Short mmCIF file of all heavy atoms in Angstrom, two decimals:
data_model
loop_
_atom_site.label_atom_id
_atom_site.label_comp_id
_atom_site.label_asym_id
_atom_site.label_seq_id
_atom_site.Cartn_x
_atom_site.Cartn_y
_atom_site.Cartn_z
N HIS A 108 -0.05 -16.00 23.89
CA HIS A 108 -0.27 -14.58 23.60
C HIS A 108 -1.14 -14.45 22.34
O HIS A 108 -0.89 -15.13 21.34
CB HIS A 108 1.05 -13.85 23.38
CG HIS A 108 2.02 -13.99 24.51
ND1 HIS A 108 2.00 -13.15 25.60
CD2 HIS A 108 3.01 -14.89 24.74
CE1 HIS A 108 2.95 -13.50 26.44
NE2 HIS A 108 3.57 -14.57 25.95
N ASP A 109 -2.12 -13.58 22.40
CA ASP A 109 -2.94 -13.31 21.21
C ASP A 109 -2.08 -12.62 20.15
O ASP A 109 -1.37 -11.64 20.44
CB ASP A 109 -4.12 -12.41 21.56
CG ASP A 109 -5.13 -13.10 22.48
OD1 ASP A 109 -5.02 -14.33 22.66
OD2 ASP A 109 -6.01 -12.41 23.03
N LEU A 110 -2.17 -13.09 18.91
CA LEU A 110 -1.39 -12.49 17.83
C LEU A 110 -2.29 -11.76 16.83
O LEU A 110 -2.10 -10.58 16.56
CB LEU A 110 -0.57 -13.56 17.10
CG LEU A 110 0.40 -13.04 16.04
CD1 LEU A 110 1.45 -12.13 16.67
CD2 LEU A 110 1.08 -14.21 15.31
N CYS A 111 -3.28 -12.46 16.27
CA CYS A 111 -4.20 -11.86 15.31
C CYS A 111 -5.32 -12.85 15.06
O CYS A 111 -5.29 -13.98 15.57
CB CYS A 111 -3.48 -11.50 14.00
SG CYS A 111 -2.80 -12.94 13.14
N ARG A 112 -6.28 -12.46 14.27
CA ARG A 112 -7.34 -13.39 13.89
C ARG A 112 -6.85 -14.25 12.73
O ARG A 112 -6.18 -13.77 11.82
CB ARG A 112 -8.61 -12.65 13.49
CG ARG A 112 -9.26 -11.90 14.65
CD ARG A 112 -10.63 -11.37 14.25
NE ARG A 112 -11.56 -12.44 13.90
CZ ARG A 112 -12.25 -13.16 14.80
NH1 ARG A 112 -12.09 -12.94 16.10
NH2 ARG A 112 -13.07 -14.11 14.39
N LEU A 113 -7.18 -15.54 12.78
CA LEU A 113 -6.76 -16.46 11.73
C LEU A 113 -7.28 -16.01 10.37
O LEU A 113 -6.59 -16.09 9.36
CB LEU A 113 -7.26 -17.87 12.05
CG LEU A 113 -6.85 -18.98 11.06
CD1 LEU A 113 -5.34 -19.17 11.08
CD2 LEU A 113 -7.56 -20.29 11.37
N SER A 114 -8.49 -15.48 10.34
CA SER A 114 -9.11 -15.06 9.07
C SER A 114 -8.40 -13.85 8.46
O SER A 114 -8.59 -13.56 7.27
CB SER A 114 -10.58 -14.74 9.28
OG SER A 114 -10.74 -13.72 10.26
N ASP A 115 -7.58 -13.13 9.25
CA ASP A 115 -6.86 -11.97 8.71
C ASP A 115 -5.57 -12.36 7.99
O ASP A 115 -4.94 -11.49 7.37
CB ASP A 115 -6.52 -11.00 9.84
CG ASP A 115 -7.76 -10.33 10.44
OD1 ASP A 115 -8.79 -10.28 9.73
OD2 ASP A 115 -7.69 -9.88 11.60
N LEU A 116 -5.20 -13.63 8.08
CA LEU A 116 -3.96 -14.07 7.45
C LEU A 116 -4.22 -14.61 6.05
O LEU A 116 -5.15 -15.39 5.85
CB LEU A 116 -3.30 -15.17 8.30
CG LEU A 116 -2.86 -14.77 9.71
CD1 LEU A 116 -2.41 -16.01 10.47
CD2 LEU A 116 -1.75 -13.74 9.65
N PRO A 117 -3.42 -14.22 5.05
CA PRO A 117 -3.57 -14.80 3.71
C PRO A 117 -3.18 -16.27 3.73
O PRO A 117 -2.32 -16.68 4.52
CB PRO A 117 -2.62 -13.97 2.86
CG PRO A 117 -1.59 -13.46 3.82
CD PRO A 117 -2.31 -13.25 5.12
N ASP A 118 -3.78 -17.05 2.89
CA ASP A 118 -3.51 -18.49 2.85
C ASP A 118 -2.36 -18.76 1.88
O ASP A 118 -2.41 -18.40 0.71
CB ASP A 118 -4.76 -19.25 2.39
CG ASP A 118 -4.67 -20.74 2.72
OD1 ASP A 118 -3.58 -21.20 3.10
OD2 ASP A 118 -5.69 -21.44 2.59
N GLY A 119 -1.29 -19.39 2.40
CA GLY A 119 -0.18 -19.80 1.55
C GLY A 119 0.86 -18.74 1.30
O GLY A 119 1.80 -18.99 0.52
N ARG A 120 0.76 -17.58 1.92
CA ARG A 120 1.75 -16.52 1.72
C ARG A 120 2.23 -16.02 3.07
O ARG A 120 1.42 -15.58 3.89
CB ARG A 120 1.15 -15.38 0.90
CG ARG A 120 2.10 -14.20 0.69
CD ARG A 120 1.51 -13.18 -0.28
NE ARG A 120 0.28 -12.60 0.22
CZ ARG A 120 0.21 -11.56 1.04
NH1 ARG A 120 1.34 -11.00 1.48
NH2 ARG A 120 -0.96 -11.08 1.43
N PRO A 121 3.54 -16.04 3.33
CA PRO A 121 4.05 -15.58 4.63
C PRO A 121 3.91 -14.07 4.79
O PRO A 121 4.07 -13.31 3.83
CB PRO A 121 5.52 -16.00 4.61
CG PRO A 121 5.86 -16.13 3.17
CD PRO A 121 4.62 -16.56 2.47
N VAL A 122 3.62 -13.66 6.01
CA VAL A 122 3.51 -12.24 6.34
C VAL A 122 4.24 -11.99 7.66
O VAL A 122 4.61 -12.93 8.37
CB VAL A 122 2.04 -11.79 6.47
CG1 VAL A 122 1.32 -11.88 5.12
CG2 VAL A 122 1.31 -12.62 7.53
N ALA A 123 4.44 -10.74 7.98
CA ALA A 123 5.07 -10.35 9.24
C ALA A 123 4.03 -9.83 10.20
O ALA A 123 3.12 -9.09 9.81
CB ALA A 123 6.15 -9.29 9.00
N ARG A 124 4.16 -10.22 11.47
CA ARG A 124 3.27 -9.73 12.52
C ARG A 124 4.12 -9.42 13.75
O ARG A 124 5.15 -10.06 13.99
CB ARG A 124 2.18 -10.76 12.87
CG ARG A 124 1.16 -11.00 11.77
CD ARG A 124 0.26 -9.79 11.60
NE ARG A 124 -0.80 -10.01 10.62
CZ ARG A 124 -0.71 -9.71 9.33
NH1 ARG A 124 0.44 -9.16 8.87
NH2 ARG A 124 -1.70 -9.93 8.51
N ARG A 125 3.70 -8.44 14.52
CA ARG A 125 4.43 -8.04 15.72
C ARG A 125 3.89 -8.72 16.96
O ARG A 125 2.68 -8.87 17.12
CB ARG A 125 4.34 -6.52 15.92
CG ARG A 125 4.92 -5.67 14.82
CD ARG A 125 6.42 -5.71 14.76
NE ARG A 125 7.08 -5.35 16.01
CZ ARG A 125 8.40 -5.26 16.11
NH1 ARG A 125 9.18 -5.51 15.08
NH2 ARG A 125 8.95 -4.92 17.27
N LEU A 126 4.81 -9.14 17.82
CA LEU A 126 4.45 -9.64 19.15
C LEU A 126 5.37 -8.94 20.13
O LEU A 126 6.53 -9.33 20.32
CB LEU A 126 4.62 -11.15 19.24
CG LEU A 126 4.30 -11.77 20.61
CD1 LEU A 126 2.84 -11.56 20.98
CD2 LEU A 126 4.65 -13.26 20.62
N GLY A 127 4.90 -7.89 20.72
CA GLY A 127 5.74 -7.10 21.62
C GLY A 127 6.93 -6.51 20.87
O GLY A 127 6.78 -5.79 19.90
N TYR A 128 8.14 -6.87 21.30
CA TYR A 128 9.36 -6.34 20.68
C TYR A 128 9.77 -7.12 19.43
O TYR A 128 10.69 -6.72 18.73
CB TYR A 128 10.53 -6.41 21.68
CG TYR A 128 10.34 -5.58 22.91
CD1 TYR A 128 10.06 -6.18 24.14
CD2 TYR A 128 10.43 -4.19 22.86
CE1 TYR A 128 9.89 -5.42 25.28
CE2 TYR A 128 10.25 -3.42 24.00
CZ TYR A 128 9.98 -4.04 25.21
OH TYR A 128 9.82 -3.28 26.33
N ILE A 129 9.12 -8.22 19.16
CA ILE A 129 9.60 -9.16 18.14
C ILE A 129 8.69 -9.13 16.91
O ILE A 129 7.47 -9.09 17.01
CB ILE A 129 9.63 -10.59 18.70
CG1 ILE A 129 10.61 -10.67 19.86
CG2 ILE A 129 10.04 -11.58 17.63
CD1 ILE A 129 10.65 -12.02 20.50
N GLN A 130 9.34 -9.17 15.74
CA GLN A 130 8.61 -9.37 14.50
C GLN A 130 8.63 -10.85 14.16
O GLN A 130 9.68 -11.50 14.24
CB GLN A 130 9.22 -8.56 13.36
CG GLN A 130 8.45 -8.72 12.03
CD GLN A 130 8.74 -7.60 11.06
OE1 GLN A 130 8.36 -6.45 11.30
NE2 GLN A 130 9.41 -7.92 9.97
N LEU A 131 7.47 -11.38 13.79
CA LEU A 131 7.33 -12.81 13.54
C LEU A 131 7.05 -13.10 12.07
O LEU A 131 6.41 -12.31 11.37
CB LEU A 131 6.18 -13.39 14.38
CG LEU A 131 6.31 -13.26 15.89
CD1 LEU A 131 5.08 -13.84 16.56
CD2 LEU A 131 7.57 -13.97 16.39
N PHE A 132 7.55 -14.23 11.61
CA PHE A 132 7.20 -14.82 10.32
C PHE A 132 5.97 -15.69 10.54
O PHE A 132 6.00 -16.61 11.37
CB PHE A 132 8.38 -15.66 9.82
CG PHE A 132 8.07 -16.63 8.71
CD1 PHE A 132 8.35 -16.30 7.40
CD2 PHE A 132 7.52 -17.88 8.99
CE1 PHE A 132 8.08 -17.21 6.37
CE2 PHE A 132 7.24 -18.79 7.98
CZ PHE A 132 7.53 -18.45 6.66
N VAL A 133 4.88 -15.39 9.85
CA VAL A 133 3.64 -16.12 10.05
C VAL A 133 3.16 -16.66 8.70
O VAL A 133 2.98 -15.90 7.74
CB VAL A 133 2.55 -15.23 10.67
CG1 VAL A 133 1.28 -16.05 10.94
CG2 VAL A 133 3.05 -14.58 11.95
N LEU A 134 2.95 -17.97 8.62
CA LEU A 134 2.49 -18.61 7.40
C LEU A 134 1.27 -19.46 7.71
O LEU A 134 1.35 -20.43 8.46
CB LEU A 134 3.59 -19.48 6.79
CG LEU A 134 3.18 -20.33 5.59
CD1 LEU A 134 2.76 -19.45 4.41
CD2 LEU A 134 4.31 -21.28 5.18
N ARG A 135 0.15 -19.07 7.12
CA ARG A 135 -1.07 -19.86 7.25
C ARG A 135 -1.21 -20.78 6.05
O ARG A 135 -1.05 -20.35 4.90
CB ARG A 135 -2.29 -18.95 7.33
CG ARG A 135 -3.62 -19.72 7.34
CD ARG A 135 -4.79 -18.78 7.17
NE ARG A 135 -6.04 -19.53 7.01
CZ ARG A 135 -7.19 -18.99 6.65
NH1 ARG A 135 -7.26 -17.68 6.41
NH2 ARG A 135 -8.27 -19.72 6.53
N GLN A 136 -1.49 -22.04 6.32
CA GLN A 136 -1.77 -23.01 5.26
C GLN A 136 -3.03 -23.78 5.67
O GLN A 136 -2.98 -24.71 6.46
CB GLN A 136 -0.58 -23.96 5.07
CG GLN A 136 0.65 -23.24 4.52
CD GLN A 136 1.87 -24.13 4.44
OE1 GLN A 136 2.27 -24.75 5.43
NE2 GLN A 136 2.48 -24.21 3.26
N GLY A 137 -4.16 -23.31 5.14
CA GLY A 137 -5.44 -23.86 5.56
C GLY A 137 -5.72 -23.47 7.00
O GLY A 137 -5.69 -22.30 7.36
N GLU A 138 -5.93 -24.46 7.85
CA GLU A 138 -6.18 -24.20 9.26
C GLU A 138 -4.91 -24.27 10.10
O GLU A 138 -4.93 -24.00 11.29
CB GLU A 138 -7.20 -25.23 9.80
CG GLU A 138 -8.57 -25.13 9.15
CD GLU A 138 -9.19 -23.76 9.37
OE1 GLU A 138 -9.18 -23.26 10.50
OE2 GLU A 138 -9.69 -23.17 8.38
N GLY A 139 -3.80 -24.65 9.46
CA GLY A 139 -2.53 -24.73 10.18
C GLY A 139 -1.72 -23.45 10.01
O GLY A 139 -1.76 -22.79 8.98
N VAL A 140 -0.94 -23.12 11.03
CA VAL A 140 -0.13 -21.90 11.00
C VAL A 140 1.27 -22.21 11.51
O VAL A 140 1.45 -22.87 12.54
CB VAL A 140 -0.75 -20.78 11.87
CG1 VAL A 140 0.10 -19.50 11.76
CG2 VAL A 140 -2.19 -20.50 11.47
N THR A 141 2.27 -21.72 10.77
CA THR A 141 3.68 -21.82 11.17
C THR A 141 4.14 -20.44 11.59
O THR A 141 3.94 -19.45 10.87
CB THR A 141 4.55 -22.32 10.01
OG1 THR A 141 4.15 -23.65 9.66
CG2 THR A 141 6.02 -22.31 10.40
N VAL A 142 4.79 -20.35 12.75
CA VAL A 142 5.29 -19.06 13.24
C VAL A 142 6.75 -19.23 13.65
O VAL A 142 7.08 -20.10 14.46
CB VAL A 142 4.46 -18.55 14.43
CG1 VAL A 142 5.05 -17.24 14.95
CG2 VAL A 142 3.01 -18.35 14.03
N LEU A 143 7.62 -18.39 13.05
CA LEU A 143 9.03 -18.36 13.39
C LEU A 143 9.42 -16.91 13.71
O LEU A 143 8.71 -15.98 13.33
CB LEU A 143 9.90 -18.84 12.21
CG LEU A 143 9.61 -20.22 11.61
CD1 LEU A 143 10.48 -20.42 10.37
CD2 LEU A 143 9.89 -21.31 12.63
N ALA A 144 10.54 -16.72 14.38
CA ALA A 144 11.10 -15.37 14.48
C ALA A 144 11.44 -14.91 13.07
O ALA A 144 12.00 -15.68 12.27
CB ALA A 144 12.33 -15.37 15.36
N ASP A 145 11.11 -13.67 12.73
CA ASP A 145 11.23 -13.23 11.35
C ASP A 145 12.67 -12.88 10.97
O ASP A 145 13.02 -12.92 9.79
CB ASP A 145 10.33 -12.00 11.12
CG ASP A 145 10.21 -11.65 9.64
OD1 ASP A 145 9.93 -12.56 8.84
OD2 ASP A 145 10.39 -10.47 9.29
N ARG A 146 13.51 -12.53 11.92
CA ARG A 146 14.88 -12.13 11.61
C ARG A 146 15.75 -13.35 11.39
O ARG A 146 15.87 -14.22 12.27
CB ARG A 146 15.46 -11.28 12.74
CG ARG A 146 14.82 -9.92 12.88
CD ARG A 146 15.30 -9.19 14.12
NE ARG A 146 16.74 -9.01 14.13
CZ ARG A 146 17.42 -8.50 15.15
NH1 ARG A 146 16.79 -8.15 16.26
NH2 ARG A 146 18.73 -8.35 15.07
N CYS A 147 16.37 -13.44 10.21
CA CYS A 147 17.26 -14.55 9.91
C CYS A 147 18.44 -14.55 10.88
O CYS A 147 19.05 -13.49 11.11
CB CYS A 147 17.75 -14.44 8.47
SG CYS A 147 18.99 -15.69 8.02
N PRO A 148 18.80 -15.68 11.45
CA PRO A 148 19.93 -15.72 12.38
C PRO A 148 21.26 -15.31 11.77
O PRO A 148 22.17 -14.93 12.49
CB PRO A 148 19.96 -17.19 12.83
CG PRO A 148 18.58 -17.68 12.62
CD PRO A 148 18.08 -16.96 11.40
N HIS A 149 21.38 -15.37 10.45
CA HIS A 149 22.65 -15.03 9.81
C HIS A 149 22.96 -13.54 9.91
O HIS A 149 23.92 -13.15 10.56
CB HIS A 149 22.66 -15.48 8.35
CG HIS A 149 23.89 -15.11 7.60
ND1 HIS A 149 23.84 -14.47 6.38
CD2 HIS A 149 25.20 -15.25 7.90
CE1 HIS A 149 25.08 -14.25 5.95
NE2 HIS A 149 25.93 -14.72 6.86
N LEU A 150 22.14 -12.70 9.30
CA LEU A 150 22.35 -11.25 9.35
C LEU A 150 21.04 -10.49 9.44
O LEU A 150 20.92 -9.37 8.94
CB LEU A 150 23.17 -10.77 8.15
CG LEU A 150 24.66 -11.11 8.17
CD1 LEU A 150 25.34 -10.66 6.87
CD2 LEU A 150 25.37 -10.48 9.37
N ALA A 151 20.03 -11.12 10.05
CA ALA A 151 18.75 -10.48 10.37
C ALA A 151 17.92 -10.15 9.15
O ALA A 151 17.11 -9.23 9.17
CB ALA A 151 18.97 -9.21 11.21
N GLY A 152 18.05 -10.91 8.07
CA GLY A 152 17.19 -10.71 6.90
C GLY A 152 15.74 -11.04 7.22
O GLY A 152 15.45 -11.86 8.09
N PRO A 153 14.77 -10.40 6.53
CA PRO A 153 13.34 -10.63 6.79
C PRO A 153 12.84 -11.93 6.15
O PRO A 153 12.65 -12.00 4.94
CB PRO A 153 12.67 -9.40 6.16
CG PRO A 153 13.59 -9.02 5.04
CD PRO A 153 14.99 -9.37 5.49
N LEU A 154 12.63 -12.95 6.94
CA LEU A 154 12.23 -14.25 6.40
C LEU A 154 10.87 -14.20 5.71
O LEU A 154 10.63 -14.96 4.77
CB LEU A 154 12.20 -15.30 7.51
CG LEU A 154 13.55 -15.70 8.11
CD1 LEU A 154 13.36 -16.81 9.14
CD2 LEU A 154 14.52 -16.15 7.02
N HIS A 155 9.98 -13.29 6.14
CA HIS A 155 8.65 -13.27 5.52
C HIS A 155 8.72 -12.82 4.06
O HIS A 155 7.74 -13.01 3.32
CB HIS A 155 7.69 -12.37 6.32
CG HIS A 155 7.91 -10.91 6.12
ND1 HIS A 155 8.88 -10.19 6.80
CD2 HIS A 155 7.30 -10.01 5.29
CE1 HIS A 155 8.84 -8.92 6.43
NE2 HIS A 155 7.90 -8.79 5.52
#
């Protein structure tokens, strides 16, 4: 699924992005990107 342009993501700082019903934790580090569900499994805290 298309999420966003890589160039729109800050380098080294996590941000939140939407994918349909879900908010995602997105972390760009250079050309690599880590994506997790943003809601913490404990009590739904915002991981970003």
Side-chain angles (χ1 to χ4, degrees):
H108 304 274
D109 293 348
L110 186 62
C111 62
R112 294 189 62 81
L113 183 65
S114 58
D115 292 337
L116 297 173
D118 197 349
R120 178 173 62 85
V122 294
R124 292 289 185 267
R125 298 289 305 184
L126 179 63
Y128 297 107
I129 298 177
Q130 181 160 292
L131 299 178
F132 164 99
V133 183
L134 173 64
R135 175 190 173 191
Q136 293 175 306
E138 296 300 313
V140 183
T141 297
V142 177
L143 305 173
D145 191 49
R146 292 173 58 186
C147 175
H149 176 230
L150 286 176
L154 292 183
H155 76 277

